[in-house]
C-alpha cells in the first residue's frame, strides 16, 4: 500500500488541524521510511520476484523491526511521546501515534501473509488484497480521495503556492501509485532502497505545502 497511507495522512488533518501535513505523512509512512535504511544495513530482507505476479513483485522475507505489530506499536508510542515532549499537544500526539499504527492495519489488508506479530513470531498475517490489483488500486484511490477532501475542508491556501504545491503533490502521488501498480519490478534491492529513501522528499513536500496553507476556520 502506498497511496492509502498518504490518504490517511491527509485526512488526519481534520482531527489534528495544528499538526503539519509533513508530520502527518511522517507518522503514516514512518515504518516504510525506516524500512529502506534497515534494508541497506542488512537488518531486513526483501526478495524481488521475477515472472508474472499479482501485486508488487516483492517478497518481504524478513522485516520484524519495521513491520511487526509489536514494533509498530513501539514506534507509535515513541513517535507520539517525542511529539508530545516537543509540542506539548496531547491531541496531536494521539493522532500521530494512531497514524503510525494505521500503517500496519492498512498493510494488513493488502499484504500477502508476511506481517509478523512480533520479532521472531512464526505466524504472519495479511489478507492479500494484492491478489486483486484493480480492487487494491480502487481502494487506495478511495482512501486517498476521502483524505484529500478532508484536508481541503480543514485548510485554505494562504497564497498561490498553497494551492499549486498541494495540487502538484496530489497529482504526483497518484502518478507514483499508478506506476507502482503497472510498472516494471525494481532492477535491484539497492535501487528499491533508494526509491524508498526518496519518500523523505514527500514528507518535506508535505511540510512545504502546509506552510502555505491556513486552518480553514482562521481564514473565514
Ligand atoms: Zn508498509
Amino acid at each position: 500500500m502506498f497511496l492509502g497511507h498518504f490518504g490517511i495522512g491527509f485526512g488526519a488533518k481534520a482531527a489534528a488541524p495544528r499538526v503539519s501535513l509533513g508530520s502527518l505523512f511522517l507518522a503514516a509512512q514512518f515504518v516504510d521510511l525506516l524500512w529502506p535504511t534497515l534494508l541497506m544495513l542488512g537488518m531486513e530482507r526483501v526478495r524481488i520476484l521475477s515472472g508474472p505476479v499479482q501485486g508488487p513483485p516483492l517478497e518481504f522475507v524478513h522485516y520484524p523491526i519495521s513491520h511487526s505489530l509489536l514494533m509498530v506499536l513501539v514506534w507509535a508510542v515513541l513517535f507520539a511521546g517525542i511529539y508530545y515532549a516537543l509540542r506539548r499537544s496531547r491531541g496531536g500526539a494521539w493522532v500521530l501515534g494512531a497514524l503510525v499504527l494505521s500503517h500496519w492495519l492498512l498493510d494488513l489488508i493488502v499484504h500477502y501473509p508476511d506481517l509478523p506479530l512480533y520479532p521472531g513470531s512464526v505466524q504472519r498475517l495479511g489478507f492479500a488484497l494484492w491478489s486483486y490489483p484493480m480492487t487494491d488500486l480502487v481502494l487506495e484511490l478511495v482512501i486517498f480521495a476521502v483524505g484529500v477532501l478532508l484536508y481541503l475542508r480543514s485548510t485554505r491556501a494562504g497564497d498561490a503556492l498553497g494551492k499549486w504545491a498541494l495540487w502538484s503533490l496530489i497529482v504526483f502521488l497518484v502518478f507514483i501509485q499508478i506506476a507502482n501498480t503497472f510498472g516494471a519490478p525494481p532492477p535491484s534491492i539497492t535501487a528499491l532502497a533508494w526509491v524508498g529513501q526518496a519518500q523523505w522528499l514527500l514528507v518535506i513536500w508535505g511540510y512545504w505545502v502546509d506552510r502555505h496553507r491556513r486552518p480553514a476556520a482562521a481564514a473565514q
Side-chain angles (χ1 to χ4, degrees):
M1 175 154 306
F2 174 78
L3 204 52
H5 296 305
F6 285 92
I8 300 281
F10 268 116
K13 189 73 171 176
R18 292 178 166 277
V19 179
S20 169
L21 183 63
S23 301
L24 299 171
F25 281 177
L26 181 60
Q29 264 307 61
F30 186 69
V31 302
D32 272 11
L33 289 160
L34 212 56
W35 179 66
T37 298
L38 295 167
L39 272 186
M40 286 172 164
L41 293 173
M43 295 169 76
E44 300 203 333
R45 288 194 307 279
V46 67
R47 221 156 55 88
I48 298 172
L49 303 170
S50 53
V53 283
Q54 300 280 39
L58 302 173
E59 186 188 344
F60 298 96
V61 183
H62 183 71
Y63 58 168
I65 304 171
S66 66
H67 277 75
S68 71
L69 176 58
L70 180 68
M71 284 308 295
V72 174
L73 278 167
V74 169
W75 296 126
V77 170
L78 278 177
F79 200 111
I82 290 171
Y83 186 83
Y84 183 74
L86 292 174
R87 294 291 160 89
R88 297 280 146 197
S89 161
R90 207 169 287 241
W94 270 108
V95 169
L96 290 167
L99 279 176
V100 175
L101 181 60
S102 79
H103 185 104
W104 195 88
L105 298 172
L106 286 182
D107 274 4
L108 179 66
I109 301 171
V110 299
H111 276 233
Y112 292 112
D114 57 31
L115 291 159
L117 288 176
Y118 51 88
S121 86
V122 180
Q123 197 182 8
R124 294 168 142 236
L125 303 179
F127 301 144
L129 190 66
W130 275 339
S131 316
Y132 308 94
M134 283 305 117
T135 314
D136 170 58
L137 181 60
V138 169
L139 174 71
E140 301 218 27
L141 283 168
V142 168
I143 296 173
F144 186 70
V146 172
V148 167
L149 271 175
L150 285 170
Y151 183 79
L152 286 169
R153 275 180 47 179
S154 309
T155 63
R156 295 278 178 273
D159 53 27
L161 259 178
K163 197 172 172 187
W164 296 114
L166 173 63
W167 282 102
S168 53
L169 173 62
I170 291 168
V171 170
F172 187 65
L173 288 170
V174 173
F175 173 79
I176 294 180
Q177 179 63 56
I178 305 268
N180 280 349
T181 303
F182 299 103
S188 68
I189 304 282
T190 310
L192 176 68
W194 279 111
V195 169
Q197 298 289 24
Q199 291 196 81
W200 286 99
L201 297 175
L202 298 171
V203 173
I204 294 168
W205 202 335
Y207 281 112
W208 182 51
V209 165
D210 218 82
R211 281 175 68 101
H212 293 274
R213 297 188 68 88
R214 305 273 166 271
Q220 283 163 5

